[in-house]
Amino acid sequence: EVISGELPKHLSFGQCQKVALARALVRKPEIILFDEPLSNIDVLAKNEYKELILYAKKALPQSTFVYVTHNIEDALKMSNKIMVIDKGKIIQYDQKQIVFDLPNSQTVADYMIGSREVYDGKIINGEFVCEERRFKLKRNYFRKIKSIWRRNR
């Protein structure tokens, strides 16, 4: 899409976002902040813009991309790590799969997985045991659960 020579007032919001991204990336910054960048863009432009950001992440591996969103699907697609903040406090920060699979609080679980069932139980011999059922735990998750449990005691 060629937009050179156009006046800003003649550009769509999505085109303005692309220009802003290009201007930021030219400087090869250490950190680039995206604060709800897709909130006012139509669906087709959103997908294209996401792909541009992912391409930029590959093109600038030395840069840290901070992507602020309330959309969990965007967070999972765009990130390597996820930080969940509630009332101004960081309540969990880890690899996205860990945050998704092992939320360390009900608040994180509600945000990450919404209506997924939550069980109250114990870990016995590498299994999670509760009234309703038993779950065999993967070894690396078992270590992570113990770590979360120690932090939250």
Side-chain angles (χ1 to χ4, degrees):
E1 176 179 16
V2 177
I3 55 177
S4 64
E6 293 289 334
L7 294 173
K9 66 181 180 181
H10 294 207
L11 299 177
S12 70
F13 186 75
Q15 290 171 323
C16 288
Q17 289 287 74
K18 289 177 189 173
V19 170
L21 176 60
R23 291 176 77 185
L25 296 176
V26 164
R27 297 174 186 238
K28 297 182 180 174
E30 283 184 51
I31 299 172
I32 183 165
L33 172 65
F34 296 90
D35 189 3
E36 298 279 356
L38 306 176
S39 60
N40 294 317
I41 301 177
D42 65 81
V43 174
L44 291 175
K46 279 183 187 186
N47 291 332
E48 184 180 353
Y49 196 68
K50 283 182 204 177
E51 293 305 317
L52 285 173
I53 293 170
L54 292 171
Y55 176 79
K57 282 177 62 177
K58 288 179 185 169
L60 296 172
Q62 75 282 6
S63 296
T64 299
F65 287 65
V66 178
Y67 191 93
V68 178
T69 184
H70 290 89
N71 182 315
I72 188 59
E73 291 166 9
D74 286 350
L76 290 170
K77 178 173 181 156
M78 305 301 288
S79 68
N80 300 330
K81 292 185 176 185
I82 290 182
M83 178 184 295
V84 181
I85 300 173
D86 185 43
K87 299 176 185 147
K89 293 187 178 181
I90 298 169
I91 55 177
Q92 189 166 358
Y93 174 65
D94 212 325
Q95 298 294 323
K96 64 182 171 185
Q97 198 62 48
I98 296 295
V99 177
F100 187 80
D101 288 344
L102 298 169
N104 67 0
S105 69
Q106 187 63 50
T107 301
V108 175
D110 289 344
Y111 175 70
M112 293 300 294
I113 40 190
S115 63
R116 184 192 260 186
E117 296 176 48
V118 177
Y119 298 99
D120 187 21
K122 296 180 180 182
I123 297 173
I124 302 171
N125 296 325
E127 288 188 326
F128 177 80
V129 179
C130 62
E131 284 184 27
E132 295 85 6
R133 45 175 62 158
R134 298 173 90 89
F135 299 97
K136 184 85 173 148
L137 299 173
K138 294 179 182 176
R139 183 176 296 279
N140 59 335
Y141 283 173
F142 180 67
R143 277 191 235 113
K144 192 68 177 176
I145 288 170
K146 287 187 343 189
S147 168
I148 290 168
W149 178 77
R150 282 190 198 107
R151 278 196 313 251
N152 290 323
R153 280 180 22 166

